[in-house]
Amino acid sequence: QVQLVESGGGLVQAGGSLRLSCAASGGTFRNRAMGWFRQTPGKAREFVAAISRNLGITYYRDSVKGRFTISRDDAQNTVYLQMNSLKPEDTAIYYCAARPATFAPMSSVAARRGSEYDYWGQGTQVTVSS
């Protein structure tokens, strides 16, 4: 029902920047909280950032606070992740995810749970060289 397509990944030197985009189709985007997660080989998927529906309240994992910014453009059905001051440890496949519109309002706890999201993109690779 909902399709998410990420773009913007690539290879960048430490200290550089990238902006990831996630384009959504299938409707109900405006009523869905959106999130970004990342995963590296041998590690569990981890939460990166999320943004609520309506007021656009944002949530971040501690290690990216002050460096990453999540935003959304409801007119374009798109969520973004601006990544600055990138570090080698940011290297991962980044996934966009959508939270059901029928769920209760987002919270800091809910934002961090992968199980809160019902649609996922294919992922885009981000590689940060030292």
Side-chain angles (χ1 to χ4, degrees):
Q1 184 179 2
V2 176
Q3 185 172 0
L4 306 174
V5 180
E6 302 98 332
S7 62
L11 175 64
V12 65
Q13 291 182 324
S17 299
L18 285 173
R19 188 170 85 147
L20 306 183
S21 298
C22 173
S25 62
T28 70
F29 179 82
R30 293 175 183 265
N31 294 320
R32 290 176 174 269
M34 302 294 294
W36 287 96
F37 291 75
R38 65 189 183 187
Q39 189 166 30
T40 57
K43 292 185 177 181
R45 178 183 56 200
E46 65 181 19
F47 168 76
V48 178
I51 185 166
S52 74
R53 62 195 179 195
N54 303 128
L55 296 179
I57 300 169
T58 57
Y59 308 86
Y60 300 94
R61 70 178 295 109
D62 288 344
S63 63
V64 307
K65 288 180 179 177
R67 299 190 298 122
F68 291 11
T69 302
I70 187 171
S71 61
R72 65 189 296 160
D73 184 342
D74 289 344
Q76 297 293 322
N77 287 352
T78 302
V79 62
Y80 303 95
L81 184 68
Q82 177 67 46
M83 304 185 294
N84 299 326
S85 301
L86 283 162
K87 304 175 181 180
E89 49 263 47
D90 294 318
T91 296
I93 299 176
Y94 283 71
Y95 297 91
C96 176
R99 188 169 182 263
T102 55
F103 277 23
M106 185 71 100
S107 68
S108 61
V109 173
R112 290 162 169 75
R113 295 198 196 107
S115 60
E116 288 282 318
Y117 302 82
D118 62 345
Y119 289 98
W120 296 80
Q122 191 174 19
T124 185
Q125 177 71 50
V126 171
T127 302
V128 184
S129 62
S130 60

